Amino acid sequence: MRADRLVSLVLLLRQRGRLSAATLARELEVSTRTVLRDIEALSAAGVPVYAERGRHGGFALLPGFRTELTGLSHDEALALLVAGSRRGAQVFGLGSALASAVLKVVDALPEGYRDTAAGAARRLLIDPETDLLARRVDADEVPDAVVSEVRRAVFAGHRLRLRYAAVDQAPKWRTVDPIGLVTVRGHGYLLATRSGEDRTYRLARVLAAEELDEPAQRPDLVDLDRAWRDRSTRFRTGGDQVAVVVRVAPARREELVATALAVHAEETDADGWLRLEVTFQDPRHAEWALWQLTTQAEALAPQWLRTALSERATAVATRYAQAQPNMPT
């Protein structure tokens, strides 16, 4: 880790010029004392880094110093810079490594390409934190110690012990054979087998992990994309699925279809509204999906869903019919 940090420190000084110890510490996510030790190590290794004292002082490299890195073409570097903006590295605990890699990519560019590639990358935004309706896309937060242990086991091909908190269940230890890691919209998943059966674990629910010194029982080659599609299909077709008949305003049809697992029938009523037969994952999913459409959708069947939505609407109406509570000043 220290060698990578030293390279990152040199690249920061090359690309941004004189920087204070506090700024370097913040960029490298270490203490200022660690930065000072790293500066001493670089000087001892012959890197021409020097200190400038005073109010606007800091550390800098002698002009003309350049690290030996393989050059990249403009498009190759741009592709890596764009990839570097994605959240997968954060989900898998590789955020610091990604930041270091991006610095190296920029530094490896020929002099004439450096500014244009960096400028082009700033014109592209991949997976922003909110969509056009300002709905936040929340990424999973997984402790570094957990995701690092999981990642090592996956890459080394070793078995893995997990303390996993499944939904509505007490946390339990289980031993699995890891296959690969998948990130979807900021959520990380471990694909594995347990006693020969396919299992999918959400990383955010892994409370502790331990790489075992045992080879994992898994194929040498794996098609993660196909494995994920197969598991997604089984997930959508399993569980306590419910069939719902619903009327929806045409303007909200796409929203309903995007939420449902499947659409089995569709026709247009005399008033122009659409009547659909759809399937949801479970009762809670059905109630949530129809509630999002407010008065622009109506569940016709089953009756329990109509009752659940009516009770929810009544509770909301009752709450807002009450006098506004005194707000603290």
Side-chain angles (χ1 to χ4, degrees), residues 250-262:
R252 305 300 291 273
R253 178 194 179 278
E254 293 305 318
E255 190 174 343
L256 172 66
V257 170
T259 306
L261 294 181

PDB file of all heavy atoms in Angstrom, residues 250-262:
ATOM      1  N   PRO A 250     -52.925   6.626 -19.193  1.00  0.00           N
ATOM      2  CA  PRO A 250     -51.884   6.334 -20.193  1.00  0.00           C
ATOM      3  C   PRO A 250     -50.533   6.973 -19.868  1.00  0.00           C
ATOM      4  O   PRO A 250     -49.484   6.382 -20.146  1.00  0.00           O
ATOM      5  CB  PRO A 250     -52.483   6.905 -21.482  1.00  0.00           C
ATOM      6  CG  PRO A 250     -53.953   6.836 -21.281  1.00  0.00           C
ATOM      7  CD  PRO A 250     -54.171   7.114 -19.820  1.00  0.00           C
ATOM      8  N   ALA A 251     -50.543   8.169 -19.270  1.00  0.00           N
ATOM      9  CA  ALA A 251     -49.289   8.853 -18.983  1.00  0.00           C
ATOM     10  C   ALA A 251     -48.445   8.119 -17.935  1.00  0.00           C
ATOM     11  O   ALA A 251     -47.241   8.350 -17.839  1.00  0.00           O
ATOM     12  CB  ALA A 251     -49.570  10.283 -18.505  1.00  0.00           C
ATOM     13  N   ARG A 252     -49.076   7.246 -17.147  1.00  0.00           N
ATOM     14  CA  ARG A 252     -48.335   6.532 -16.091  1.00  0.00           C
ATOM     15  C   ARG A 252     -48.117   5.068 -16.429  1.00  0.00           C
ATOM     16  O   ARG A 252     -47.619   4.311 -15.586  1.00  0.00           O
ATOM     17  CB  ARG A 252     -49.085   6.639 -14.759  1.00  0.00           C
ATOM     18  CG  ARG A 252     -49.406   8.039 -14.308  1.00  0.00           C
ATOM     19  CD  ARG A 252     -48.176   8.908 -14.106  1.00  0.00           C
ATOM     20  NE  ARG A 252     -47.374   8.492 -12.982  1.00  0.00           N
ATOM     21  CZ  ARG A 252     -47.571   8.900 -11.724  1.00  0.00           C
ATOM     22  NH1 ARG A 252     -48.577   9.733 -11.451  1.00  0.00           N
ATOM     23  NH2 ARG A 252     -46.775   8.495 -10.758  1.00  0.00           N
ATOM     24  N   ARG A 253     -48.474   4.661 -17.652  1.00  0.00           N
ATOM     25  CA  ARG A 253     -48.348   3.246 -18.004  1.00  0.00           C
ATOM     26  C   ARG A 253     -46.914   2.744 -17.895  1.00  0.00           C
ATOM     27  O   ARG A 253     -46.657   1.676 -17.325  1.00  0.00           O
ATOM     28  CB  ARG A 253     -48.851   3.018 -19.442  1.00  0.00           C
ATOM     29  CG  ARG A 253     -48.690   1.563 -19.898  1.00  0.00           C
ATOM     30  CD  ARG A 253     -48.856   1.389 -21.401  1.00  0.00           C
ATOM     31  NE  ARG A 253     -48.673   0.011 -21.793  1.00  0.00           N
ATOM     32  CZ  ARG A 253     -47.487  -0.567 -21.996  1.00  0.00           C
ATOM     33  NH1 ARG A 253     -46.364   0.158 -21.803  1.00  0.00           N
ATOM     34  NH2 ARG A 253     -47.397  -1.835 -22.348  1.00  0.00           N
ATOM     35  N   GLU A 254     -45.983   3.500 -18.466  1.00  0.00           N
ATOM     36  CA  GLU A 254     -44.599   3.039 -18.482  1.00  0.00           C
ATOM     37  C   GLU A 254     -44.052   2.882 -17.071  1.00  0.00           C
ATOM     38  O   GLU A 254     -43.264   1.965 -16.789  1.00  0.00           O
ATOM     39  CB  GLU A 254     -43.726   3.999 -19.291  1.00  0.00           C
ATOM     40  CG  GLU A 254     -44.051   4.022 -20.777  1.00  0.00           C
ATOM     41  CD  GLU A 254     -44.003   2.640 -21.407  1.00  0.00           C
ATOM     42  OE1 GLU A 254     -43.067   1.869 -21.085  1.00  0.00           O
ATOM     43  OE2 GLU A 254     -44.910   2.320 -22.198  1.00  0.00           O
ATOM     44  N   GLU A 255     -44.457   3.766 -16.179  1.00  0.00           N
ATOM     45  CA  GLU A 255     -44.005   3.668 -14.795  1.00  0.00           C
ATOM     46  C   GLU A 255     -44.517   2.391 -14.139  1.00  0.00           C
ATOM     47  O   GLU A 255     -43.795   1.722 -13.405  1.00  0.00           O
ATOM     48  CB  GLU A 255     -44.480   4.901 -14.021  1.00  0.00           C
ATOM     49  CG  GLU A 255     -43.881   5.036 -12.638  1.00  0.00           C
ATOM     50  CD  GLU A 255     -44.264   6.343 -11.988  1.00  0.00           C
ATOM     51  OE1 GLU A 255     -44.705   7.262 -12.709  1.00  0.00           O
ATOM     52  OE2 GLU A 255     -44.117   6.449 -10.754  1.00  0.00           O
ATOM     53  N   LEU A 256     -45.782   2.056 -14.413  1.00  0.00           N
ATOM     54  CA  LEU A 256     -46.352   0.821 -13.867  1.00  0.00           C
ATOM     55  C   LEU A 256     -45.654  -0.408 -14.439  1.00  0.00           C
ATOM     56  O   LEU A 256     -45.252  -1.326 -13.702  1.00  0.00           O
ATOM     57  CB  LEU A 256     -47.841   0.762 -14.190  1.00  0.00           C
ATOM     58  CG  LEU A 256     -48.550  -0.564 -13.861  1.00  0.00           C
ATOM     59  CD1 LEU A 256     -48.579  -0.791 -12.362  1.00  0.00           C
ATOM     60  CD2 LEU A 256     -49.960  -0.584 -14.443  1.00  0.00           C
ATOM     61  N   VAL A 257     -45.473  -0.421 -15.748  1.00  0.00           N
ATOM     62  CA  VAL A 257     -44.849  -1.578 -16.409  1.00  0.00           C
ATOM     63  C   VAL A 257     -43.410  -1.761 -15.940  1.00  0.00           C
ATOM     64  O   VAL A 257     -42.939  -2.887 -15.751  1.00  0.00           O
ATOM     65  CB  VAL A 257     -44.914  -1.403 -17.936  1.00  0.00           C
ATOM     66  CG1 VAL A 257     -44.066  -2.461 -18.643  1.00  0.00           C
ATOM     67  CG2 VAL A 257     -46.362  -1.479 -18.413  1.00  0.00           C
ATOM     68  N   ALA A 258     -42.701  -0.652 -15.728  1.00  0.00           N
ATOM     69  CA  ALA A 258     -41.307  -0.752 -15.287  1.00  0.00           C
ATOM     70  C   ALA A 258     -41.214  -1.337 -13.882  1.00  0.00           C
ATOM     71  O   ALA A 258     -40.196  -1.940 -13.521  1.00  0.00           O
ATOM     72  CB  ALA A 258     -40.651   0.617 -15.322  1.00  0.00           C
ATOM     73  N   THR A 259     -42.260  -1.168 -13.071  1.00  0.00           N
ATOM     74  CA  THR A 259     -42.245  -1.658 -11.699  1.00  0.00           C
ATOM     75  C   THR A 259     -42.685  -3.107 -11.608  1.00  0.00           C
ATOM     76  O   THR A 259     -42.186  -3.863 -10.773  1.00  0.00           O
ATOM     77  CB  THR A 259     -43.172  -0.773 -10.822  1.00  0.00           C
ATOM     78  OG1 THR A 259     -42.777   0.581 -10.965  1.00  0.00           O
ATOM     79  CG2 THR A 259     -43.082  -1.175  -9.366  1.00  0.00           C
ATOM     80  N   ALA A 260     -43.628  -3.507 -12.446  1.00  0.00           N
ATOM     81  CA  ALA A 260     -44.177  -4.869 -12.391  1.00  0.00           C
ATOM     82  C   ALA A 260     -43.162  -5.901 -12.883  1.00  0.00           C
ATOM     83  O   ALA A 260     -42.245  -5.585 -13.650  1.00  0.00           O
ATOM     84  CB  ALA A 260     -45.445  -4.941 -13.223  1.00  0.00           C
ATOM     85  N   LEU A 261     -43.356  -7.140 -12.442  1.00  0.00           N
ATOM     86  CA  LEU A 261     -42.504  -8.222 -12.928  1.00  0.00           C
ATOM     87  C   LEU A 261     -42.883  -8.632 -14.344  1.00  0.00           C
ATOM     88  O   LEU A 261     -42.016  -8.960 -15.159  1.00  0.00           O
ATOM     89  CB  LEU A 261     -42.625  -9.443 -12.006  1.00  0.00           C
ATOM     90  CG  LEU A 261     -42.112  -9.291 -10.581  1.00  0.00           C
ATOM     91  CD1 LEU A 261     -42.291 -10.592  -9.820  1.00  0.00           C
ATOM     92  CD2 LEU A 261     -40.651  -8.883 -10.566  1.00  0.00           C
ATOM     93  N   ALA A 262     -44.180  -8.630 -14.635  1.00  0.00           N
ATOM     94  CA  ALA A 262     -44.635  -9.060 -15.955  1.00  0.00           C
ATOM     95  C   ALA A 262     -46.010  -8.467 -16.244  1.00  0.00           C
ATOM     96  O   ALA A 262     -46.773  -8.170 -15.321  1.00  0.00           O
ATOM     97  CB  ALA A 262     -44.702 -10.584 -16.037  1.00  0.00           C
TER      98      ALA A 262
END
